[in-house]
Amino acid sequence: MSFDNLCKLLSEKHPATFASWVLGTPQTGVTVLKTELSIEPIRADYVTFLQLEGRILHLEFQTKLESTPPLPLRMLDYWVRLYRLYRLPITQVVVLLLPPAPGTVIETAFNIETTRHEYRVICMWEENPELFLNDEALLPLAPLAATTQPQALLQQVVERVNQIEPEQRSQISAYTQILAGLKYKKDLIRNLFREGMMRESVIYQEILAEGEQRGEQRGEQRERSLILRLLTRRLGELPQQVREQIETLSIEQLENLGEALLDFQAPADLEAWLATLQ
């Protein structure tokens, strides 16, 4: 899902921050490793080498517990492939973005006959929001953290985003709104992310133009660049012809594409969407 892909993107951009969060200790020497694991290729969400500890950290982001194959079997499969490749100790952590249905058992191990494999699970809805509010790298996850007053928390997130330097604010706000869309209604997000943030959208926005045409052009280019990155993360490398077609889209068309891409499953979906514009 796009929400999982965004978390992968964030963890690859800020590997030391994510490692420090899930491990609970400061991590500095963190190297991002390849995430495609051989045999029949599968791709993990986040794999890093912790130089201080001499071990591998593997994070897996999940919007829902349900998956095929089941999550415990996948974690065992990842462990075997990672150990075969690196021959180092491995810490595995699953980050659940949304709570499952009441009564659902959140498994933390694969267990069958004499085989048992354990991993940690972090439930975002139980995490203290302060950590996320105080770190720009983790801020997009803050709307999903523990709270008894969701709207007040989202307001805090918006205020924190507004304090970020303009060069980074646009992208961080976009990521934050994407993940907030998992939990909050579209209208609420639109109402809270106001002038000075991004043009209204539950998915992403750019900083509103302040009246100068040059500023508007920069904002449009950042939005176009963000969409291309999101499409690449979801569908893989885009053909040059498709990229050129996206370069010609208007702001309104870009915003529509930003909402539509959440439903794309394959490059053909993007091509079909672009064909409707002709």
Side-chain angles (χ1 to χ4, degrees):
M1 291 185 61
S2 62
F3 305 108
D4 302 342
N5 289 336
L6 175 54
C7 292
K8 298 174 192 177
L9 174 64
L10 289 170
S11 61
E12 288 175 357
K13 285 169 65 70
H14 309 284
T17 301
F18 273 73
S20 299
W21 161 43
V22 300
L23 297 175
T25 56
Q27 301 291 326
T28 53
V30 179
T31 303
V32 176
L33 305 178
K34 69 176 184 178
T35 57
E36 185 172 291
L37 308 179
S38 58
I39 308 178
E40 294 180 2
I42 59 174
R43 187 175 296 278
D45 284 352
Y46 163 109
V47 180
T48 60
F49 172 57
L50 306 177
Q51 295 175 8
L52 293 180
E53 300 187 14
R55 69 170 49 241
I56 300 294
L57 172 62
H58 166 214
L59 295 187
E60 200 66 20
F61 298 95
Q62 290 288 125
T63 305
K64 298 180 179 180
L65 272 177
E66 300 79 8
S67 67
T68 304
L71 182 60
L73 177 56
R74 283 172 48 208
M75 298 305 289
L76 172 61
D77 193 9
Y78 286 134
W79 188 94
V80 171
R81 294 176 189 234
L82 285 168
Y83 189 78
R84 177 182 293 183
L85 185 61
Y86 296 108
R87 302 297 172 92
L88 288 169
I90 303 166
T91 296
Q92 289 184 296
V93 182
V94 175
V95 179
L96 291 182
L97 302 180
L98 290 178
T104 301
V105 176
I106 299 177
E107 298 181 82
T108 60
F110 173 86
N111 198 3
I112 184 169
E113 295 187 339
T114 60
T115 299
R116 180 174 177 83
H117 173 68
E118 298 182 356
Y119 50 89
R120 282 183 55 207
V121 175
I122 292 178
C123 301
M124 275 304 307
W125 61 94
E126 297 176 352
E127 291 289 288
N128 188 330
E130 291 302 317
L131 171 66
F132 302 89
L133 289 169
N134 293 322
D135 192 312
E136 292 182 7
L138 298 175
L139 184 57
L141 289 167
L144 306 180
T147 181
T148 56
Q149 298 178 305
Q151 186 167 334
L153 173 59
L154 189 57
Q155 181 63 59
Q156 283 184 279
V157 173
V158 173
E159 292 171 359
R160 181 66 185 89
V161 171
N162 274 325
Q163 297 170 6
I164 298 173
E165 292 297 321
E167 293 75 12
Q168 289 80 42
R169 186 189 310 158
S170 170
Q171 189 175 78
I172 293 175
S173 181
Y175 295 158
T176 303
Q177 290 187 66
I178 292 174
L179 292 175
L182 278 169
K183 179 177 177 180
Y184 299 87
K185 293 183 178 180
K186 180 177 180 179
D187 288 344
L188 177 60
I189 298 173
R190 282 180 169 174
N191 288 336
L192 294 182
F193 282 83
R194 293 177 179 171
E195 185 176 344
M197 294 296 299
M198 300 202 292
R199 286 183 306 275
E200 292 181 349
S201 168
V202 71
I203 302 173
Y204 63 82
Q205 307 228 355
E206 286 293 328
I207 298 174
L208 288 173
E210 298 178 356
E212 297 182 4
Q213 185 171 356
R214 188 172 66 175
E216 293 176 354
Q217 292 172 344
R218 286 200 302 268
E220 179 179 344
Q221 186 55 43
R222 286 195 297 270
E223 181 161 355
R224 197 180 308 277
S225 175
L226 176 58
I227 288 178
L228 286 170
R229 289 199 299 272
L230 290 173
L231 285 169
T232 300
R233 293 290 302 181
R234 187 159 182 79
L235 304 177
E237 192 62 33
L238 302 177
Q240 184 60 33
Q241 182 179 358
V242 172
R243 297 180 69 90
E244 291 175 356
Q245 189 171 356
I246 293 173
E247 290 288 347
T248 67
L249 298 181
S250 67
I251 283 293
E252 182 179 359
Q253 290 171 327
L254 287 173
E255 291 180 347
N256 291 337
L257 176 56
E259 295 193 11
L261 69 83
L262 289 178
D263 296 322
F264 293 169
Q265 299 297 323
D269 296 327
L270 171 59
E271 294 173 5
W273 188 90
L274 290 171
T276 65
L277 305 179
Q278 299 177 358

